[in-house]
Amino acid sequence: MQMVNEAVGSLTKAQIDFYNEEGYLVLPDLLTEEEMIPVKEAMTMKVSMIAEELLQAGLISDKLEHRPFSLRLAELFKDLTAEDFLKYGRSWRDRLPGYFDLMRSPKILDAVASLIGDELFANPVYNTRPKIPKVAAGAVPWHQDKSYWPGANANPVITVWIPMVDATEINGCLHIKPKTHRKQLLKWYQEEETGTGYTALKERQLGKTKTVALPISAGSAILFNDRCLHMSTPNNSEEVRWSVDLRYQPTDQDPMLSHGIGFLARSRRHPERVATLEDWLAERPEHEV
């Protein structure tokens, strides 16, 4: 694996030391409201597509186009079932320009580069998570992200979790067990009760490490190792808890083609190969020169 130059990236030595010791790091207010506009527009576009489908299917009579971003999706499904919602998946991975803008954010890449170097590959597993109130998919059981790619020769993969609205203990913020990034991949099972198919761990596997709740404001970020144990609780508010989880790894590791096509996000060695929006939309991992 490539060596990390201490001068690379935006994190301080104290932040890097905390991440290496605890397995996670919180970056308050990393993104401004203006910087979140493109990804919110992508989310809004998806919600409008869903609203049109629900209308055509006779499940709703109003697409609620003038409702606020934080409420509209919840209100569309207010009188529908969890199955109606899960038809669209527990997470979304659409190739919409706003998501690429976010994944190529210099602020995000600078932070990740501090931890794993500046030859960065954006992992194909990126998700938009619309956690709507009182739907089973909202609660995510204890798991390690690596359980979704157990055979991949990739370590570390860093998750960057960012809420688009304030994430609170009421609407289902992230919970994490510090220092568990030192664990190997634990034996997991496929959760079946909610119909979401999440990987999950049993209570006895969680150990005695104290759980830390991580409520953060919109645009803040939580970075964590893919072996770190984490979960989130149900959304007991009236609003949608919008979040994204992005993943990055060094370029010399498994691109995980079975999960989709990632892309070269940053490279000092080969800047001419860094993927453009057009490359990403065409599912090309690098810019062709």
Side-chain angles (χ1 to χ4, degrees):
M1 189 182 75
Q2 61 183 295
M3 297 298 292
V4 179
N5 184 335
E6 289 187 4
V8 167
S10 59
L11 300 184
T12 65
K13 183 179 184 301
Q15 288 174 315
I16 294 170
D17 289 347
F18 184 92
Y19 176 88
N20 288 334
E21 178 66 22
E22 302 295 327
Y24 76 97
L25 178 68
V26 177
L27 299 177
D29 303 318
L30 180 66
L31 302 177
T32 65
E33 185 63 38
E34 183 177 0
E35 289 166 333
M36 290 188 286
I37 289 174
V39 72
K40 284 187 175 182
E41 287 178 344
M43 293 170 171
T44 299
M45 183 183 302
K46 175 74 169 185
V47 172
S48 293
M49 293 165 59
I50 291 173
E52 180 62 31
E53 285 190 24
L54 294 175
L55 184 70
Q56 294 299 322
L59 294 174
I60 60 172
S61 58
D62 185 346
K63 292 192 288 185
L64 305 178
E65 294 172 284
H66 302 295
R67 297 298 292 148
F69 170 76
S70 62
L71 292 172
R72 185 184 178 196
L73 187 66
E75 293 179 354
L76 284 170
F77 284 93
K78 184 177 180 181
D79 297 319
L80 303 181
T81 67
E83 288 71 24
D84 291 323
F85 178 74
L86 287 174
K87 172 187 173 185
Y88 298 96
R90 54 179 167 80
S91 59
W92 304 339
R93 203 171 295 167
D94 304 282
R95 286 188 182 251
L96 298 173
Y99 296 135
F100 182 79
D101 289 348
L102 186 68
M103 289 187 280
R104 280 289 310 278
S105 163
K107 289 182 178 179
I108 295 173
L109 297 182
D110 284 347
V112 175
S114 300
L115 303 173
I116 58 174
D118 56 7
E119 300 296 316
L120 293 177
F121 182 76
N123 186 288
V125 183
Y126 65 93
N127 296 301
T128 295
R129 298 193 186 274
K131 181 182 285 196
I132 68 171
K134 302 174 182 64
V135 167
V140 180
W142 282 108
H143 69 286
Q144 296 167 295
D145 279 357
K146 190 167 176 60
S147 61
Y148 289 98
W149 44 87
N153 180 23
N155 179 43
V157 175
I158 294 182
T159 295
V160 180
W161 190 91
I162 304 173
M164 295 294 117
V165 298
D166 292 349
T168 69
E169 293 193 62
I170 295 174
N171 69 11
C173 67
L174 203 68
H175 291 63
I176 208 160
K177 285 189 177 290
K179 298 183 172 66
T180 55
H181 62 302
R182 300 191 180 105
K183 292 180 177 289
Q184 294 300 309
L185 179 61
L186 300 174
K187 186 176 181 180
W188 51 272
Y189 69 97
Q190 206 84 39
E191 191 272 338
E192 297 179 349
E193 294 178 6
T194 65
T196 59
Y198 284 120
T199 65
L201 298 171
K202 297 184 183 297
E203 186 70 29
R204 57 179 170 75
Q205 295 175 285
L206 303 181
K208 298 180 180 179
T209 304
K210 184 178 179 181
T211 299
V212 176
L214 296 173
I216 57 173
S217 60
S220 299
I222 303 171
L223 281 60
F224 58 93
N225 183 285
D226 66 344
R227 285 186 169 88
C228 206
L229 272 63
H230 62 287
M231 57 86 81
S232 69
T233 48
N235 181 357
N236 292 316
S237 75
E238 297 302 318
E239 299 182 339
V240 183
R241 195 224 65 188
W242 285 103
S243 69
V244 294
D245 43 277
L246 316 175
R247 291 173 179 82
Y248 300 89
Q249 63 195 62
T251 55
D252 59 0
Q253 295 185 359
D254 187 348
M256 301 192 200
L257 294 176
S258 63
H259 292 275
I261 306 296
F263 67 92
L264 182 62
R266 173 176 289 183
S267 175
R268 288 193 182 183
R269 296 174 190 165
H270 301 287
E272 74 282 359
R273 297 183 187 174
V274 170
T276 64
L277 171 61
E278 290 72 23
D279 295 321
W280 183 70
L281 291 174
E283 299 190 3
R284 292 189 295 265
E286 294 185 358
H287 186 61
E288 298 175 358
V289 293

